[in-house]
Amino acid sequence: SQQGEEDPQALSIQEGENATMNCSYKTSINNLQWYRQNSGRGLVHLILIRSNEREKHSGRLRVTLDTSKKSSSLLITASRAADTASYFCATSNSGGYQKVTFGTGTKLQVIP
Amino acid sequence: ETGVTQSPTHLIKTRGQQVTLRCSSQSGHNTVSWYQQALGQGPQFIFQYYREEENGRGNFPPRFSGLQFPNYSSELNVNALELDDSALYLCASSTRERSYGYTFGSGTRLTVV
């Protein structure tokens, strides 16, 4: 079963524009992570935000977390064609072991 | 520092057969997790191994089993293959004591015919 649901399912933007993806989850978490996947291959870890953090930046990425609403957003600024990929949010539970549960993904297309 | 490597990259099996997929964890990582990703879906958690013991399992039947070895490499075994087992199988390594996220391998694409 999926813990997270990303919104939108698909997003198409022009190069240079900003892309925003949202993620909602159901249960309490230890942290939330975002991953990128190119062409159905391995996932690449982008950024991790802990449950006691509200915002985090990494290069052109900005992630926010609202634990009261059980939601997160990923903003990619000044998008490039190379950002074209699927993006997944993943939550790590608060239990005894770190089970990471992935959402359904947002497919981002950046048009040159 | 080495990454996570998986083998083979592609595999075709017949329904009813058995398959073993292999994963070599990133150096220094003591935890390995396996995921199944069907086309167009997010990865689904199969199980996790920590120091050679299974310490978490998703909603997968017992015919999915695994091993983790002292050098932290790992295997995923699937018995009595079904057509629905066709998917991308991903191995991810991490360090249990530090929440820095997973390092994924490139996956094994399994096709069951």
Side-chain angles (χ1 to χ4, degrees):
Chain A
S1 62
Q2 306 288 164
Q3 154 81 309
E5 293 260 344
E6 279 93 335
D7 172 57
Q9 291 187 346
L11 181 60
S12 184
I13 59 173
Q14 296 288 330
E15 200 166 31
E17 293 181 336
N18 295 342
T20 300
M21 289 159 258
N22 302 296
C23 167
S24 60
Y25 58 91
K26 298 170 187 170
T27 62
S28 64
I29 62 170
N30 183 311
N31 64 65
L32 186 143
Q33 305 165 36
W34 285 89
Y35 289 81
R36 184 186 73 226
Q37 185 177 39
N38 291 89
S39 303
R41 299 309 293 174
L43 285 82
V44 174
H45 179 256
L46 296 176
I47 195 165
L48 180 152
I49 186 166
R50 301 184 194 285
S51 60
N52 61 353
E53 296 175 311
R54 292 295 167 258
E55 188 170 313
K56 203 158 182 181
H57 296 254
S58 176
R60 293 184 296 114
L61 306 179
R62 173 180 165 249
V63 169
T64 62
L65 178 65
D66 186 336
T67 53
S68 66
K69 294 181 179 176
K70 292 187 169 58
S71 68
S72 173
S73 69
L74 171 68
L75 168 68
I76 304 174
T77 60
S79 63
R80 305 166 182 169
D83 295 329
T84 295
S86 291
Y87 291 81
F88 293 90
C89 72
T91 54
S92 178
N93 63 316
S94 304
Y97 71 97
Q98 291 173 19
K99 173 184 171 182
V100 174
T101 306
F102 285 80
T104 50
T106 292
K107 201 163 188 175
L108 173 66
Q109 182 185 26
V110 181
I111 302 166
Chain B
E1 175 180 284
T2 59
V4 175
T5 56
Q6 290 187 244
S7 62
T9 54
H10 294 84
L11 199 52
I12 300 175
K13 288 287 195 177
T14 303
R15 190 171 50 183
Q17 285 188 314
Q18 178 265 342
V19 69
T20 297
L21 309 182
R22 293 182 172 82
C23 172
S24 176
S25 296
Q26 180 164 314
S27 176
H29 285 185
N30 54 20
T31 302
V32 65
S33 304
W34 285 90
Y35 287 82
Q36 180 196 66
Q37 186 178 24
L39 208 58
Q41 303 293 318
Q44 296 273 2
F45 176 72
I46 302 175
F47 44 56
Q48 183 183 91
Y49 277 79
Y50 170 66
R51 292 187 177 176
E52 303 173 58
E53 301 253 344
E54 183 183 297
N55 74 331
R57 189 176 185 92
N59 190 25
F60 280 81
R63 59 190 185 83
F64 285 78
S65 64
L67 284 172
Q68 185 184 31
F69 300 101
N71 64 354
Y72 300 130
S73 64
S74 175
E75 286 182 357
L76 164 65
N77 299 289
V78 187
N79 293 323
L81 283 166
E82 300 177 359
L83 297 179
D84 284 349
D85 296 333
S86 296
L88 180 68
Y89 288 84
L90 294 160
C91 164
S93 73
S94 58
T95 304
R96 185 176 189 176
E97 292 76 12
R98 293 178 158 185
S99 296
Y100 287 147
Y102 284 177
T103 301
F104 276 87
S106 296
T108 294
R109 174 74 62 187
L110 173 65
T111 302
V112 182
V113 297

